[in-house]
Amino acid sequence: MGTLIVLLVLALFLTAIFTGGYNKDFLDRVKTSKVWDWLTTVDHKKIAILYFMSGFFFFIVGGIEALFMRLQLIVPHNDLFVGDTFNELLTMHGTTMIFLAAMPMIFGLMNAIVPLQIGARDVAFPFVNALGFWLFFAGGLLLNLSWIFGGAPDAGWTSYTSLALNEYSPGPGIDYYVLGLQISGIGTLIGGLNFLVTIINLRAPGMTYLRMPLFTWTSFVTSALILFAFPALTVALLLLMFDRLFGANFFDYTMGGSTVIWQHLFWIFGHPEVYIVILPAFGVMSEVISTFSKKRLFGYTSMVFATVLIGFLGFMVWVHHMFTVGLGPVSNSLFAVATMAIAVPTGIKVFNWLFTMWGGEIRFTTAMLFAVGFIPTFVMGGMTGVMLALPPADYQYQDSYFVVAHFHYVLVGGTVFGMFAGAYYWWPKMFGKLLDEKLGKFHFWTFLIGFHLTFFPQHFLGLFGMPRRVFTYQSGVGLETINLISTIGVFGMTIGTLAFIYNIYKTFKVEAQAPADPWNGRTLEWAIPSPPPEYNFAQLPRVRGLDPFWLEKQAGNKGMTPAEPLGSIHMPSPSYLPVLMSLGFFIAGFGFIARGNYAVGILGLIVVVITMFMRSFEQDHGYHIEPEEIEDANKGVQA
Amino acid sequence: MSRQRLWRALLVFSLAALALSGCSGDPSLNVLEPSGTAGEKQLNLIMWSFFLMLGVFAVVITIFVYVLIRFRKRKGQDRMPEQTHGSTLLEIVWTVIPIVLLGILAVPTVNYTFELADAKPDEDSIRVKVTGHQYWWEFEYPDLGVKTAQELYIPVGKKVHLEIHGKDVLHSFWVPALGGKTDVIPGRVNTMWLDAKKPGKYQGKCAELCGAGHALMDFVVYAKEPAEFDKWVAQMKQPAKVATAAQKEGEQLFLQNCMGCHAGVNPKLQGPDLSKFGTRTTIAGILPHTEENLKKWLKNPEAVKPGAKMPKIDYLTQEELDALTEYLMSRK
């Protein structure tokens, strides 16, 4: 409690310093400050940037953890990080990269682009959107504070029981995992719901389902997967929370529980989760490849159905993570065949991308390079994916470095390449400036080479008998050279990422504004200025087909044909409640992690309930932007 | 651009060559060089699926390279590509062919899955009860009345039927050169079988994260000719004798300091059975079997194996330590 008061006073103090001291106008000055603007924003474009920044920050954190692990494994019998410390690193690397880097970057792109692509002025629930971000951030922060307060979780990102139970992990580490992920999971769940509703309800006139750009489609399917997959995680975390905090016995076999139940629940969530993070990357690739080949996407309809099919099959295959659990040959065979089936729609996508480029006019911009580099990388990950789907072979691969190599090929080769491609492609739309292409290409090549150098040899590590999640290995059994090469590769990826950071810094210094349509784009977002005004579209556009902006350009029109007269635009008001509510959850989480001091936990929950009450009974009608202001703004742009 | 691409292809190729030739795995734990029937079956499937997938990869990469070179934008070029919608025929081709390929792959997969799951012991097979502990392995031969730890002896050419038990957390029993793994699950009994086709020493690993000492939860499988195996069984059944005075003192120290855990008084604090410790070839499954290493382990187990449950035996005098070591080493 005392700490809380100290923190509160410190926060007030800092606010005062940044806004110029306390006096009568203190509150007014706070409310007009930039920080307040970002804290209370409900604008999807600003929330996108918040998601992007925090996701990238966690990406760096997770990357440093990976670097530490590879440094430990550079030679056998190294003692840089051993035992529990190494387990903390591997757990936090996995958890951070999946939940705190991949997820927010995907939400960042979805926020930035989906409303623009469907011709909407914002998402369906702007308040919920802000709340989703702040909950994710509170959860991520809570999880990472474990490094400072009491030790990070160390049972792997899968946190299998019974290792994750009190008896075998007595410290607070796993509590951070459980409550941190639970809080950020609520944020993800409501974010997914928000995008489902947005895409169903806010499409511009004429934007039928089969005219939606593929990035919107993949975001749509991803949101549906979130809706159905995250509750399984919520349930699993809730059960684990009860086991750890309140002495329940769901996973304790000596008391009639079952450790295998955790694995089922985790992977019923966990397998769709990998499609949640890969599908939007597929969407980015489709947009980028189509734009830079100057061609309509080949087989659009089959691409859409392949996406939906992948999403659907994603729920049917979770047992392939559990082939060695001993569930019997019947269930292993069934899940093996279901898993192989996923290769079919994925193959359809790959061939459609290849034939989109076929006959096109390919421009190798950085975004396109990442999309092009993605294809062979991802196909290799898919190859090993099919190999892993065969239970007898999987008995050998399971939990070895072969698996590590496989999922980095799909997650880095797929999601990370996708996010980089998306970043270079949409940076001008998000920030109004073009990233440097020369640095971008340097980034691409160092990252690509470093990536393959790191992960390609790891296939062999697995086949030569090295299990995953080990802090050391034997010397003299042919593992040294491969491990050394693998560690060297990490530096390639590190240099590439540093080049990207420098690129961002350099781009912010550049004065030149990006044009509205720098790439000869095809979809709606390129029809409006970069960056777009806060209302996005002064008049909602009329959509005449797939690639609507391209169609208009081909017809000789300068922009979209409006579907409505210029009128007053209704905008949602900013709100400080999302931050406050998330702070409540954060405090509650901290309180419950510090066992035996439930007063703080309950205080946090009270904050949550009060903010919910305030939100429910608040009279907020938003505000309007009048046509005159829009015209003034337009003149300003042209002048 | 194409030159850079070429470099990349070369790089990947040379890496593969390096990995395959320069630093190939060791036969004691190499999946690609199996010495057992199960491992051979698994390798068959691995190779079969690998070459099938390599064929698919070759097709993709050929189209990929052709497209990137043939259709890249050349200097000064500004043409309008035809805006094709797609091709139903092509869509059908690349839907049907993969389905057929996967069908072909599914047949041996299902076949092998059932074959490997058929772990019922027959009259001729050896039964072993395997128990995974944090962080050591216990092996018990119920039909032979032998109990040991860290080292699994099996006769060459006989099917070994394993009954896998768990007590604390998850582990996974893996002998890469003999066959794939089976998880150790507390509260559940799993079964698997393996055999060795030639005598030798094979490395065993724990493949499921089980705590701080997971990386060092190794064991060894010794495959012996049947006659030698029988000799080993006979030796294991013969109680070790206490001969010298130092050994007698060591026995006293053992009774006072070690029995609590190493004689199975408290199941929650169970340590490996040490009645035949002198026959082992490793200390704690990882260090060479020397007196020096044994003393190192006794003085500070956690320094050798992080997370080891054994307390430090660092309060003995040098003489006592020597006696205890001598006693343990004489347990043959």
Side-chain angles (χ1 to χ4, degrees):
Chain A
M1 205 62 176
T3 326
L4 269 175
I5 294 167
V6 171
L7 282 174
L8 207 66
V9 171
L10 186 75
L12 274 171
F13 193 59
L14 284 175
T15 326
I17 289 176
F18 282 114
T19 51
Y22 300 102
N23 54 29
K24 243 185 1 203
D25 308 328
F26 173 62
L27 276 181
D28 287 338
R29 276 203 314 281
V30 168
K31 281 191 171 167
T32 50
S33 75
K34 263 221 158 113
V35 177
W36 183 259
D37 178 35
W38 283 93
L39 286 176
T40 60
T41 185
V42 291
D43 178 359
H44 72 98
K45 296 175 289 296
K46 284 186 174 162
I47 291 172
I49 291 170
L50 288 173
Y51 263 124
F52 234 56
M53 280 185 346
S54 44
F56 191 66
F57 167 74
F58 285 124
F59 178 74
I60 303 291
V61 172
I64 292 171
E65 283 151 6
L67 181 65
F68 284 171
M69 283 193 282
R70 280 316 316 170
L71 286 177
Q72 160 65 18
L73 293 170
I74 192 166
V75 288
H77 309 303
N78 200 358
D79 55 4
L80 201 56
F81 303 100
V82 298
D84 275 333
T85 317
F86 191 85
N87 289 351
E88 289 178 355
L89 284 173
L90 69 88
T91 303
M92 286 305 281
H93 168 71
T95 314
T96 303
M97 286 302 197
I98 294 280
F99 293 100
L100 310 181
M103 293 300 293
M105 289 217 252
I106 277 158
F107 266 112
L109 269 193
M110 276 161 63
N111 262 296
I113 303 305
V114 168
L116 305 183
Q117 280 197 334
I118 60 173
R121 294 212 167 99
D122 205 324
V123 293
F125 309 116
F127 177 89
V128 170
N129 201 18
L131 182 61
F133 167 76
W134 288 108
L135 281 175
F136 142 73
F137 191 71
L141 204 62
L142 187 62
L143 192 52
N144 271 280
L145 283 179
S146 64
W147 284 114
I148 311 169
F149 303 112
D154 58 0
W157 86 279
T158 52
S159 203
Y160 275 5
T161 54
S162 37
L163 184 58
L165 297 181
N166 279 331
E167 192 179 348
Y168 303 103
S169 298
I174 309 291
D175 297 341
Y176 279 104
Y177 174 93
V178 169
L179 290 164
L181 288 191
Q182 194 68 285
I183 292 170
S184 79
I186 303 170
T188 307
L189 192 57
I190 61 180
L193 263 169
N194 198 357
F195 275 94
L196 274 180
V197 178
T198 303
I199 294 172
I200 291 172
N201 285 322
L202 295 187
R203 281 167 292 131
M207 175 70 80
T208 59
Y209 279 107
L210 283 179
R211 285 179 184 175
M212 288 192 326
L214 219 71
F215 179 69
T216 300
W217 253 113
T218 52
S219 301
F220 185 55
V221 175
T222 278
S223 305
L225 293 188
I226 289 173
L227 180 63
F228 290 107
F230 266 75
L233 178 71
T234 309
V235 168
L237 291 173
L238 197 75
L239 297 184
L240 189 55
M241 181 179 87
F242 269 86
D243 266 21
R244 286 187 62 87
L245 295 183
F246 308 121
N249 297 304
F250 294 109
F251 304 117
D252 183 355
Y253 85 98
T254 56
M255 304 297 282
S258 162
T259 55
V260 181
I261 293 294
W262 168 268
Q263 298 190 33
H264 280 294
L265 284 172
F266 187 85
W267 288 116
I268 286 172
F269 148 77
H271 198 81
E273 167 69 11
V274 302
Y275 294 116
I276 289 169
V277 296
I278 195 69
L279 286 178
F282 285 172
V284 175
M285 300 309 179
S286 306
E287 306 282 318
V288 168
I289 288 176
S290 162
T291 300
F292 293 111
S293 303
K294 217 175 171 182
K295 266 187 71 192
R296 186 192 147 105
L297 191 70
F298 194 90
Y300 169 83
T301 317
S302 73
M303 286 294 252
V304 169
F305 282 102
T307 309
V308 176
L309 195 59
I310 291 174
F312 179 74
L313 286 174
F315 283 99
M316 308 289 155
V317 297
W318 80 92
V319 167
H320 71 213
H321 299 270
M322 304 166 59
F323 278 155
T324 59
V325 166
L327 299 177
V330 176
S331 89
N332 280 3
S333 302
L334 281 173
F335 279 92
V337 173
T339 306
M340 284 193 254
I342 291 187
V344 177
T346 316
I348 291 174
K349 280 182 160 284
V350 171
F351 283 110
N352 276 316
W353 286 320
L354 290 176
F355 278 80
T356 302
M357 293 192 281
W358 189 289
E361 190 186 70
I362 304 171
R363 278 180 293 157
F364 289 103
T365 56
T366 308
M368 185 62 171
L369 281 177
F370 272 108
V372 161
F374 152 87
I375 292 177
T377 313
F378 189 79
V379 170
M380 281 169 79
M383 274 175 71
T384 50
V386 172
M387 291 166 71
L388 277 157
L390 320 175
D394 180 75
Y395 299 159
Q396 287 285 21
Y397 307 132
Q398 171 89 9
D399 272 319
S400 79
Y401 255 86
F402 192 87
V403 175
V404 177
H406 160 74
F407 68 69
H408 282 95
Y409 263 81
V410 287
L411 285 175
V412 181
T415 307
V416 175
F417 278 33
M419 290 306 109
F420 279 139
Y424 281 94
Y425 183 59
W426 281 308
W427 200 269
K429 194 48 69 186
M430 289 174 70
F431 295 96
K433 297 196 177 155
L434 279 160
L435 283 169
D436 186 274
E437 280 289 303
K438 223 177 196 163
L439 266 171
K441 281 172 187 167
F442 177 76
H443 168 202
F444 169 72
W445 285 110
T446 44
F447 197 87
L448 181 87
I449 292 170
F451 166 78
H452 282 280
L453 208 54
T454 307
F455 293 108
F456 187 76
Q458 290 187 357
H459 292 111
F460 293 95
L461 284 181
L463 293 174
F464 294 164
M466 182 158 159
R468 70 191 276 210
R469 293 167 165 171
V470 292
F471 62 80
T472 191
Y473 47 94
Q474 287 165 284
S475 50
V477 288
L479 300 176
E480 291 99 326
T481 323
I482 315 180
N483 269 301
L484 179 67
I485 296 172
S486 182
T487 300
I488 292 171
V490 174
F491 291 98
M493 287 195 278
T494 310
I495 293 168
T497 309
L498 288 176
F500 182 58
I501 295 171
Y502 178 65
N503 202 343
I504 294 173
Y505 168 76
K506 203 179 148 191
T507 304
F508 275 110
K509 298 232 133 185
V510 169
E511 295 276 307
Q513 284 289 316
D517 179 21
W519 313 117
N520 194 7
R522 311 175 70 87
T523 39
L524 278 180
E525 73 269 29
W526 305 111
I528 51 174
S530 307
E534 61 176 317
Y535 45 82
N536 298 347
F537 296 90
Q539 293 160 286
L540 290 184
R542 176 165 302 285
V543 175
R544 297 174 203 266
L546 181 65
D547 295 341
F549 186 44
W550 175 261
L551 290 180
E552 299 292 333
K553 284 193 281 187
Q554 288 315 102
N557 302 334
K558 277 217 153 159
M560 301 301 299
T561 316
E564 60 173 12
L566 199 58
S568 163
I569 298 173
H570 179 228
M571 300 297 291
S573 343
S575 169
Y576 58 88
L577 287 175
V579 181
L580 208 57
M581 203 185 287
S582 306
L583 187 71
F585 272 112
F586 180 82
I587 294 168
F590 235 135
F592 284 110
I593 289 165
R595 307 266 184 95
N597 194 355
Y598 291 139
V600 176
I602 289 161
L603 178 84
L605 290 179
I606 290 172
V607 172
V608 172
V609 173
I610 290 175
T611 44
M612 281 179 174
F613 186 85
M614 283 165 74
R615 169 65 186 167
S616 302
F617 296 95
E618 191 183 35
Q619 296 283 328
D620 175 19
H621 301 297
Y623 63 98
H624 285 83
I625 297 178
E626 299 307 326
E628 301 80 54
E629 294 175 55
I630 298 169
E631 274 169 10
D632 287 351
N634 280 348
K635 271 177 207 150
V637 166
Q638 273 145 23
Chain B
M1 202 58 59
S2 57
R3 179 177 297 174
Q4 280 163 316
R5 196 150 295 282
L6 190 73
W7 276 116
R8 204 185 108 224
L10 269 178
L11 183 86
V12 170
F13 179 74
S14 53
L15 249 180
L18 188 76
L20 285 171
S21 61
C23 35
S24 65
D26 190 84
S28 70
L29 76 168
N30 189 351
V31 171
L32 302 179
E33 242 178 297
S35 304
T37 313
E40 279 173 2
K41 283 181 196 291
Q42 285 154 353
L43 182 65
N44 278 344
L45 202 57
I46 289 173
M47 286 326 231
W48 169 222
S49 57
F50 172 69
F51 284 112
L52 199 70
M53 287 298 118
L54 198 64
V56 176
F57 186 68
V59 173
V60 171
I61 263 320
T62 313
I63 302 175
F64 178 74
V65 172
Y66 175 76
V67 165
L68 289 192
I69 295 173
R70 171 75 179 74
F71 298 109
R72 71 185 192 281
K73 181 177 171 140
R74 290 170 176 81
K75 275 220 171 78
Q77 184 189 47
D78 191 18
R79 70 187 170 83
M80 179 50 64
E82 192 195 339
Q83 302 291 312
T84 40
H85 285 229
S87 151
T88 313
L89 180 70
L90 279 174
E91 299 284 354
I92 290 172
V93 167
W94 62 56
T95 308
V96 171
I97 292 182
I99 291 178
V100 172
L101 289 181
L102 292 174
I104 295 171
L105 197 54
V107 175
T109 302
V110 174
N111 207 357
Y112 278 149
T113 306
F114 277 87
E115 242 176 78
L116 288 170
D118 183 20
K120 276 199 203 83
D122 52 37
E123 298 209 336
D124 205 30
S125 63
I126 303 282
R127 288 203 306 145
V128 184
K129 183 184 163 196
V130 178
T131 312
H133 299 267
Q134 273 179 326
Y135 304 93
W136 60 281
W137 296 91
E138 182 184 355
F139 302 112
E140 192 185 341
Y141 300 72
D143 302 330
L144 306 174
V146 171
K147 202 173 184 179
T148 180
Q150 304 295 30
E151 285 167 11
L152 174 64
Y153 281 75
I154 59 171
V156 170
K158 273 197 183 176
K159 210 166 168 177
V160 181
H161 175 258
L162 304 170
E163 216 179 65
I164 298 174
H165 296 250
K167 286 203 165 162
D168 39 35
V169 302
L170 298 176
H171 306 278
S172 193
F173 177 92
W174 187 27
V175 191
L178 297 183
K181 47 192 88 63
T182 300
D183 288 355
V184 176
I185 297 171
R188 204 186 148 102
V189 182
N190 271 336
T191 56
M192 73 178 276
W193 63 267
L194 47 78
D195 64 2
K197 289 196 159 174
K198 51 184 186 239
K201 178 183 171 185
Y202 305 102
Q203 276 296 329
K205 296 272 174 190
C206 173
E208 180 70 67
L209 182 65
C210 57
H214 163 60
L216 300 174
M217 192 172 154
D218 289 3
F219 62 100
V220 188
V221 178
Y222 285 106
K224 300 279 182 193
E225 293 295 351
E228 269 187 81
F229 177 76
D230 292 341
K231 237 164 74 189
W232 175 80
V233 172
Q235 189 198 359
M236 291 302 280
K237 287 176 134 174
Q238 186 80 37
K241 287 194 182 75
V242 184
T244 66
Q247 284 172 19
K248 275 222 173 79
E249 197 200 337
E251 185 178 28
Q252 278 307 313
L253 287 163
F254 185 80
L255 292 173
Q256 287 161 8
N257 296 295
C258 316
M259 287 296 276
C261 305
H262 289 285
V265 177
N266 179 351
K268 277 271 167 196
L269 292 173
Q270 191 192 348
D273 184 284
L274 299 179
S275 56
K276 285 289 175 182
F277 184 76
T279 62
R280 304 266 172 86
T281 53
T282 58
I283 307 277
I286 38 176
L287 295 176
H289 196 69
T290 63
E291 290 200 3
E292 205 180 314
N293 281 335
L294 178 56
K295 284 177 190 163
K296 190 170 153 194
W297 166 260
L298 287 170
K299 279 184 191 155
N300 191 356
E302 278 222 68
V304 177
K305 199 183 248 186
K309 302 267 185 256
M310 180 164 142
K312 291 177 184 174
I313 312 291
D314 55 358
Y315 44 80
L316 299 180
T317 63
Q318 191 59 43
E319 289 79 52
E320 287 174 327
L321 195 63
D322 289 340
L324 182 59
T325 311
E326 196 181 326
Y327 167 75
L328 284 171
M329 286 299 193
S330 72
R331 307 285 87 201
K332 289 187 184 174

